[in-house]
């Protein structure tokens, strides 16, 4: 005889509760860029990740309604610009509907033509490998074609709806001007193991 279980009732997830929960996962901030004959496009993106070492693949997730995504989809190319902690203003411009985002920043074209933002910690020039459905977003997998050596500095981080910093050197003091709630500390260097 098998034991019967009653079905588990799962309530729908409220959007605000979902955003709040996901906001507790700290992310870096990137700007995804592309260009075509109509000019450069870009948007601030937290949903970026390395995916594979062999072959070298990355992924990011644009909204299906994104105008910048339409350019990337047409050209099959994009660049990922990893922002430094000093680039909050750049993130804000690319996270808005500013009519001339590239008029607000210094940039140059990558070898494949995608904009590379000056002063980014690093950049990764890619071609679109595959695209998958991800609800109201696409899951875009890109093949890395070229990348920059990293610049010195610390990353721009986003946590609980605001920008934050990390303390990277053991024993380094947190500046008194900022609240402890706005910091993530990682005093063990670059390795987490």
């Amino acid at each position: 005889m098998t034991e019967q279980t009653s079905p588990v009732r799962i309530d729908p997830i409220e959007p605000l509760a979902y955003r709040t929960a996901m906001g507790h996962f700290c992310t870096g901030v990137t700007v995804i860029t592309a260009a075509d004959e109509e000019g450069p496009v870009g948007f601030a993106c937290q949903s970026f990740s390395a995916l594979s070492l062999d072959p070298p693949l990355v992924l990011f997730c644009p909204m299906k309604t994104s105008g910048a995504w339409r350019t990337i989809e047409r050209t099959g190319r994009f660049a990922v610009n990893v922002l430094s902690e000093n680039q909050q203003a750049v993130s804000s411009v690319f996270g808005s509907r500013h009519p001339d985002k590239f008029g607000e920043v210094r940039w140059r074209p990558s070898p494949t033509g995608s904009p590379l933002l000056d002063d980014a910690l690093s950049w990764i020039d890619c071609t679109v490998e595959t695209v998958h459905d991800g609800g109201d977003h696409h899951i875009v997998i890109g093949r890395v074609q070229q990348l920059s050596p990293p610049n010195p500095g610390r990353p721009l981080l986003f946590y609980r709806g605001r920008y934050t910093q990390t303390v990277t050197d053991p024993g380094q003091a947190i500046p008194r001007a900022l609240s402890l709630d706005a910091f993530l500390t990682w005093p063990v260097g670059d390795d987490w193991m």
Side-chain angles (χ1 to χ4, degrees):
M1 183 185 299
T2 61
E3 183 179 320
Q4 287 194 338
T5 58
S6 59
V8 176
R9 182 174 184 271
I10 299 175
D11 292 328
I13 303 295
E14 294 295 326
L16 181 58
Y18 180 77
R19 279 190 108 134
T20 301
M22 295 299 109
H24 283 76
F25 180 68
C26 183
T27 65
V29 181
T30 66
V31 172
I32 307 293
T33 59
D36 62 10
E37 63 282 347
E38 295 180 23
V41 296
F43 63 96
C45 181
Q46 292 171 257
S47 59
F48 165 77
S49 180
L51 179 61
S52 169
L53 185 60
D54 185 20
L57 301 173
V58 297
L59 70 79
F60 74 98
C61 302
M63 288 188 67
K64 289 182 176 176
T65 58
S66 166
W69 164 245
R70 288 190 288 278
T71 299
I72 295 167
E73 186 176 36
R74 269 194 318 275
T75 64
R77 302 183 305 268
F78 65 94
V80 180
N81 296 270
V82 179
L83 299 188
S84 77
E85 69 181 351
N86 299 322
Q87 292 183 297
Q88 288 183 22
V90 173
S91 174
S92 294
V93 166
F94 281 92
S96 73
R97 296 193 182 276
H98 194 287
D100 184 19
K101 295 175 183 180
F102 288 90
E104 299 292 315
V105 298
R106 293 186 334 261
W107 63 278
R108 67 192 184 289
S110 74
T112 64
S114 298
L116 304 177
L117 305 181
D118 286 1
D119 302 321
L121 283 183
S122 63
W123 54 262
I124 305 153
D125 202 18
C126 304
T127 53
V128 174
E129 185 85 359
T130 58
V131 180
H132 302 278
D133 182 60
D136 57 4
H137 284 64
H138 293 294
I139 302 166
V140 180
I141 297 175
R143 183 176 290 262
V144 177
Q145 300 298 323
Q146 193 168 14
L147 45 83
S148 71
N151 290 323
R154 293 186 229 182
L156 181 60
L157 301 175
F158 201 73
Y159 177 66
R160 295 178 65 186
R162 63 182 126 173
Y163 296 111
T164 190
Q165 295 176 328
T166 181
V167 175
T168 58
D169 299 323
Q172 182 177 356
I174 296 173
R176 291 187 185 273
L178 300 170
S179 132
L180 287 178
D181 289 343
F183 283 89
L184 295 177
T185 58
W186 192 253
V188 294
D190 293 337
D191 298 320
W192 61 271
M193 294 181 69

